[in-house]
Amino acid sequence: MLGNGIRQNITGYLVVLSGLFMLADLYLIFVVAPTDAVLGHVQRVFYFHVPIAIMSFLAFFLVFLASIAYVVRRDGKWDRLAHSCAEVGVVFVTLALLTGIIWGRPLWNTWWTWEPRLTTTLILWLIYVSYLMIRSYASNQQQAARYSAVVGIVGFVDVPIVYYSVVWWRSIHPSPVVGPFAQANALEPIMLWILLFSMVTFLLLFAYLVAERTALRNSEDRLRGMRLVLRRTGR
Amino acid sequence: MMQILRPVLILVGKDILLEWRSRDLVVSVLVFSLLIVVVFNFALNVTPQRVTVLAPGIIWVTFAFAATLAMNRSFVREMEQGGLAGLLLSPVSRDAIFLGKALGSFLFMLLVEAALLPVFGALLNFSVLSFTLVLTIAMATLGFALVGTLFSAIAVQTRSREIMLPVLFFPVILPVIIAAVEASSASIGSEPGVGLNRWLPLLAIFDALFLVICPWVFAVVVEE
């Protein structure tokens, strides 16, 4: 792994970079982006919603890979990465659900519909909340690492099956989805560019948060190690 | 092949014998399931006109709740007298232990479901003698048993073990419940049978996938 100094540098660059990008992104979204002809200003939530949702899927994919790496290699660094990605991922997927609900109201005329993507996102949220729960209910760190790795693997493998089962379920039970859904898909080129910029911005934010969380987790582990030594030496 | 099959069968035999001598789990699961059916009847007002629409949902919610109850007990029993430690110390592969526990839970759930199904048929007034319905129940229960056994082994080691199993179990098992409800609807007759060509393969894929993954990760769960 990288030395502590280099890692702190990377975190420092990431916070400055993602801050600058975020300011530019906000300017692009609220000033430059054209107002949607049909939906009006509420359509701007789309520039937050889509990147946040994609980053949460990325986070859970990383949890999956890091969990497999932990199971195979038994190196604590993979567990720290998986744990950090899962926590940031749960924050992102919560935001994705909330922004999705805000966007869905004018678009579909309903706060919630059991549409495959929405349902799968909700199930993702539930799986990774249970991932974090199992970590906090485990009796020690080593157990938490092993159990959560299992949930990280099994949960991620399950996601495509959930998605397809809901797709098929929907083909039998269609619910009325009204609203100009097709129009929202046909993006103007400028909208597409802003979306891509927003994607990069949230990727930077995600990388920064994971780096910061991993550093925090490292400190927690070191502190726990020191406490253990102190207790053994009887001080 | 025999090397893995023998310990699996011994483990299943042990669980069956244990249950046969006490009969506490089968009784409590059956009574609990009947209570759910009674609650559903009043919560949903199951009239003869709506029964074919509602019956599959009632059946599968009941089976899923019964499964969590049974799976929870499956490893609690092993923990009580340090049985799991004994199992892990015996010269048997982890795969065999997992498959033995899962097969035991599978057979136990099948027994409970076989007892409940005629009751459902009588109370909800539909024909239970359908090959596809029985096949659906067997495949979905296998999925329950595989995922439930894995998560039960995790939940039993944690604090607040009663709540951890359903919290882990239900999100992962959701496709099985969807597929089972839809396939049962087709069998019971509220919907045309074409859905079966889709839902039974989905159940088969789920079972096959978790039959491979669960024993592998179970070894990670039980190592100390």
Side-chain angles (χ1 to χ4, degrees), chain A residues 14 17-18 21 55 199-209:
Chain A
L14 277 173
L17 208 59
S18 67
F21 266 73
M55 288 313 134
M199 212 83 92
V200 175
T201 306
F202 278 94
L203 183 62
L204 284 169
L205 178 68
F206 172 74
Y208 164 64
L209 289 175

Side-chain angles (χ1 to χ4, degrees), chain A residues 78-99:
Chain A
W78 295 117
D79 176 53
R80 289 194 284 273
L81 181 65
H83 184 193
S84 308
C85 285
E87 264 189 15
V88 178
V90 166
V91 172
F92 272 55
V93 82
T94 309
L95 288 173
L97 282 172
L98 291 176
T99 50

